[in-house]
Amino acid sequence: MRAALVVCPASGLGTAARVAGTVSAALRDSVDHLGQHVPTSADETVAVLRSLVADGTDAVVVLGGDGAAHAGVQACAGTQTTLAIVPAGTGNDLARALGLPPKDPIAAVTEVAQALAEGRTHRIDLGKVEDGAWFATVLCAGFDSAVNERVNRTRWPRGPRRYDIAILAELAALKSARLIVRTESETLELAANSVAVGNTPYYGGGIPVCPDADPADGWFDVTVVGQAHRRDLVRILPGLRTGSHVDHPAVTTLRAKSISLAADGGWIGYADGERIRELPLDVRCVPGALRVVPGRSSQLRGLDQ
């Protein structure tokens, strides 16, 4: 097996750089050849990944956070190259969905190395934005994407507290908008605060916004939070951590293989934590679009050896 380790050194406030040597050593005994690349920017990361896939690399191992994982998805989707994730960021939602330890890159690479040595891979579905990006986890718009927008505009404080401050600021500025959700079988039109289209359950560092989403069933799970006063949204937010938010009267859930989202108010779509563009967006689920390396606790079905 020809494999490549792509290190995104700034991920996790430098965590990726600190563990890169240990990760590389853990992988070398599991593959026939391991190349190592340390791109210095997001654009260079994408270019390196695409070059590796074009050269026929069997497996690409990305050491970084959700942004690095998203770049790996763009390069490996629809190809025969396997994508492996060693999480070293703050969210690590794709790694979590694959059954890897999301907060321990050394434990995660041990599992990845063993799976590579044994040739264990899985095929998972991906979301595809029409004329745009692939995504592996969740596409969201509304309140959630407004929080992301605010985080991206600010530089202080660093780390998770920046998200906490952004949430409070967006709650203070909360406005609902007319949202239209069209699927292959139904149309939902309502005043809403947010919508999440889940290929996997998690976003925002382990929040199961679409708790029953399965990335190997050919369907999206969709969670819509309807018009709610900020005090109601404050009551809904704690339930996000357990998945019980879907039982709140303001929340509507549905399933779809393709979905069209439109909203008044300039909502921005974010997928895998990355900015896509303003709604409207047309999205479809592409079954088996990505080969990945599972962790020990993976619940993925359909072993693809």
Side-chain angles (χ1 to χ4, degrees):
M1 174 181 284
R2 291 177 57 237
L5 173 64
V6 178
V7 180
C8 299
S11 295
L13 301 179
T15 297
R18 289 192 293 272
V19 302
T22 303
V23 168
S24 179
L27 292 169
R28 287 191 185 279
D29 290 337
S30 300
V31 298
D32 299 311
H33 173 78
L34 182 71
Q36 186 164 323
H37 305 266
V38 187
T40 58
S41 68
D43 288 343
E44 186 182 349
T45 299
V46 172
V48 166
L49 287 164
R50 291 194 183 280
S51 177
L52 289 168
V53 172
D55 288 344
T57 304
D58 297 307
V60 172
V61 183
V62 175
L63 172 60
D66 284 329
H70 182 73
V73 169
Q74 307 315 301
C76 296
T79 76
Q80 294 303 309
T81 299
T82 297
L83 176 64
I85 305 296
V86 178
T90 54
N92 307 315
D93 286 312
L94 180 54
R96 181 179 283 102
L98 298 180
L100 291 161
K103 298 297 184 183
D104 189 341
I106 304 306
V109 74
T110 300
E111 297 187 18
V112 166
Q114 183 177 354
L116 288 173
E118 296 172 357
R120 286 188 290 109
T121 63
H122 283 278
R123 282 277 182 186
I124 66 168
D125 309 333
L126 291 177
K128 182 71 166 65
V129 180
E130 185 178 3
D131 300 324
W134 297 88
F135 66 95
T137 57
V138 176
L139 182 148
C140 66
F143 176 81
D144 308 314
S145 58
V147 169
N148 274 311
E149 288 278 281
R150 185 175 289 273
V151 167
N152 291 339
R153 292 195 302 267
T154 59
R155 295 292 176 264
W156 184 92
R158 301 180 74 182
R161 284 192 62 201
R162 188 164 45 162
Y163 282 89
D164 295 337
I165 291 173
I167 287 171
L168 291 174
E170 288 303 322
L171 276 173
L174 181 67
K175 292 181 180 179
S176 60
R178 185 177 67 96
L179 173 69
I180 302 173
V181 179
R182 290 190 177 92
T183 74
E184 64 275 6
S185 60
E186 61 184 300
T187 297
L188 182 67
E189 183 172 352
L190 74 167
N193 286 315
S194 68
V195 58
V197 179
N199 183 53
T200 63
Y202 307 107
Y203 75 171
I207 297 172
V209 65
C210 300
D212 296 324
D214 179 348
D217 66 356
W219 292 82
F220 291 131
D221 281 30
V222 184
T223 301
V224 179
V225 179
Q227 187 173 23
H229 191 275
R230 58 180 56 88
R231 66 172 174 269
D232 296 314
L233 197 56
V234 167
R235 293 190 185 107
I236 292 171
L237 287 172
L240 280 168
R241 290 291 177 184
T242 62
S244 63
H245 62 285
V246 296
D247 298 323
H248 192 279
V251 176
T252 300
T253 60
L254 56 149
R255 305 188 80 216
K257 294 184 178 181
S258 61
I259 187 166
S260 175
L261 302 174
D264 298 333
W267 281 12
I268 304 296
Y270 270 71
D272 293 345
E274 300 294 310
R275 195 182 201 271
I276 304 300
R277 63 174 184 267
E278 186 173 325
L279 272 57
L281 290 173
D282 294 319
V283 186
R284 61 189 174 92
C285 181
V286 183
L290 181 68
R291 180 180 283 130
V292 295
V293 175
R296 290 196 189 106
S297 64
S298 170
Q299 300 299 310
L300 296 173
R301 302 189 304 273
L303 194 63
D304 177 37
Q305 293 183 310

